Amino acid sequence: YAAKRKLSGALRYDESLDSASALTLSLLTELRRAVEHDELRLYLQPKVPLHGQGGLAAEALVRWQHPRRGLVPPMEFIPFAEQTGFVRQLTLWMFEETARLLADPRTAAMPLRISVNLSTRDLLDPELHTRLGAILARHGVQASAFCLEITESAIMDDPLRAEAMLNRLSEQGFKLSIDDFGTGYSSLAYLKRLPVDELKIDKSFVMGMESGEDDAMIVRSTIDLAHNLGLTVVAEGVENLAILDRLRALSCDEAQGYHISRPLGAEDFLVWQARQLTASSA
Ligand code: C2E
Ligand code: MG
Ligand code: MG
Ligand code: MG
């Protein structure tokens, strides 16, 4: 009963609870069809360095180009995909599209690193590293061209298994990032053990920096913490120049947000990147 309530809420449908399982079934059918009919889209949101030169980077974000509903944002189907386990297929699809883009002659010459989001379900798949390795081999790209983003809550679901998988992925050459940092319940002592390269400050804190001193203090402490642990720190949700300047003054390493660019379709992203390269070499 509770699960159905949660599900119908996540889908933002108003149907009665009785029809929730019918909905589940039809959405799962629709999602499977979405993959077969090529309705998923890879979007990319640029990440920029705040101090001097850094490589080009972006985060891969999924969209669903639905025949009737239009472009559906991930929050309307990712929670559902996680509940049903379908997210594992979705992750492999995103990873493969990203590998394809990295192998594209237009990006092959750029020092580009792309972050892909993993879910709990992915981390608990004992074959995850093998599956990702096969995709890398198929497209001839290096693991080091990828960063894998994992939330604290995905790790804390089964910390021992998560740690074992993160160790394997790190040995394989993937960079690892803790996403939405500050919103979960992981302990610092535990995080310190993980082979992580980056902390990503959740956008709720970044967006709140201007209005609330609490959020500004959390952002400042997270930047210091990351640096004390030898990690790179990224702020997501940077919506204006004032926040960008403030993050730079706090020595945050990288920023991502609407002020820099919205998530872009792959073709628009390539145009954006080419323009950045021209601007920085001019
Ligand atoms: P996330 O991984 O924390 O991704 C960042 C989200 O913040 C993205 O939302 C991005 O569009 C949004 N964002 C970035 N800058 C700004 C800003 O300046 N202002 C505001 N208001 N928002 C900003 P999006 O694309 O809707 O994705 C939402 C969440 O869905 C992601 O959060 C991630 O948890 C999940 N997600 C998206 N794509 C995937 C995927 O391929 N696989 C998995 N497992 N999860 C995904
Ligand atoms: Mg992310
Ligand atoms: Mg995030
Ligand atoms: Mg987030």
Side-chain angles (χ1 to χ4, degrees):
Y1 182 83
K4 280 185 184 176
R5 271 185 85 111
K6 205 172 148 205
L7 182 63
S8 61
L11 296 174
R12 292 184 202 154
Y13 281 102
D14 292 319
E15 277 88 341
S16 72
L17 293 176
D18 294 337
S19 61
S21 20
L23 247 178
T24 306
L25 205 64
S26 74
L27 191 66
L28 189 59
T29 312
E30 276 205 79
L31 262 177
R32 289 214 178 95
R33 264 204 27 221
V35 176
E36 285 161 21
H37 294 195
D38 208 19
E39 291 169 10
L40 296 183
R41 297 284 176 271
L42 170 68
Y43 270 61
L44 297 137
Q45 186 176 33
K47 262 166 81 179
V48 296
L50 293 178
H51 303 275
Q53 301 297 83
L56 301 171
E59 178 173 9
L61 295 160
V62 71
R63 300 288 182 264
W64 181 2
Q65 186 67 59
H66 191 281
R68 291 185 315 282
R69 291 202 277 156
L71 203 61
V72 184
M75 287 327 280
E76 291 187 24
F77 60 95
I78 291 280
F80 168 81
E82 280 175 358
Q83 283 173 37
T84 56
F86 183 82
V87 73
R88 282 168 44 179
Q89 249 171 286
L90 187 142
T91 298
L92 294 177
W93 186 89
M94 287 294 283
F95 189 83
E96 177 132 34
E97 287 306 302
T98 302
R100 209 186 301 284
L101 183 74
L102 287 166
D104 187 296
R106 288 173 293 174
T107 59
M110 301 175 179
L112 178 62
R113 176 174 289 149
I114 303 184
S115 300
V116 174
N117 291 285
L118 297 186
S119 75
T120 315
R121 296 280 195 148
D122 299 310
L123 277 187
L124 298 182
D125 171 10
E127 294 305 319
L128 176 68
H129 60 300
T130 321
R131 296 184 213 282
L132 299 184
I135 297 174
L136 292 178
R138 194 146 66 231
H139 294 274
V141 288
Q142 302 285 321
S144 59
F146 290 84
C147 179
L148 303 174
E149 294 191 1
I150 311 111
T151 62
E152 287 168 85
S153 44
I155 295 172
M156 295 318 286
D157 218 52
D158 188 340
L160 285 179
R161 276 169 78 186
E163 185 178 353
M165 182 51 72
L166 293 178
N167 281 325
R168 275 192 212 107
L169 293 169
S170 166
E171 280 159 22
Q172 223 173 332
F174 291 108
K175 297 286 163 216
L176 300 176
S177 174
I178 304 289
D179 202 356
D180 300 345
F181 186 77
T183 62
Y185 297 95
S186 52
S187 81
L188 287 178
Y190 176 72
L191 274 187
K192 204 168 151 267
R193 284 195 0 210
L194 300 175
V196 164
D197 304 277
E198 176 188 284
L199 291 188
K200 212 163 169 183
I201 309 172
D202 190 63
K203 61 172 176 283
S204 59
F205 305 120
V206 176
M207 290 164 73
M209 272 176 88
E210 279 187 312
S211 43
E213 273 320 299
D214 285 355
D215 285 338
M217 190 267 289
I218 290 170
V219 169
R220 189 167 4 100
S221 322
T222 307
I223 293 170
D224 292 343
L225 169 75
H227 288 159
N228 288 332
L229 292 173
L231 307 177
T232 298
V233 59
V234 184
E236 66 174 28
V238 179
E239 291 196 349
N240 62 49
L241 181 62
I243 293 182
L244 188 76
D245 284 341
R246 207 152 158 203
L247 288 165
R248 188 181 284 116
L250 293 171
S251 300
C252 186
D253 301 302
E254 290 178 41
Q256 175 182 343
Y258 294 171
H259 176 70
I260 296 142
S261 169
R262 296 222 166 216
L264 303 167
E267 289 301 318
D268 291 337
F269 172 73
L270 288 175
V271 171
W272 193 92
Q273 289 292 46
R275 223 183 272 143
Q276 287 295 110
L277 280 179
T278 321
S280 66
S281 63

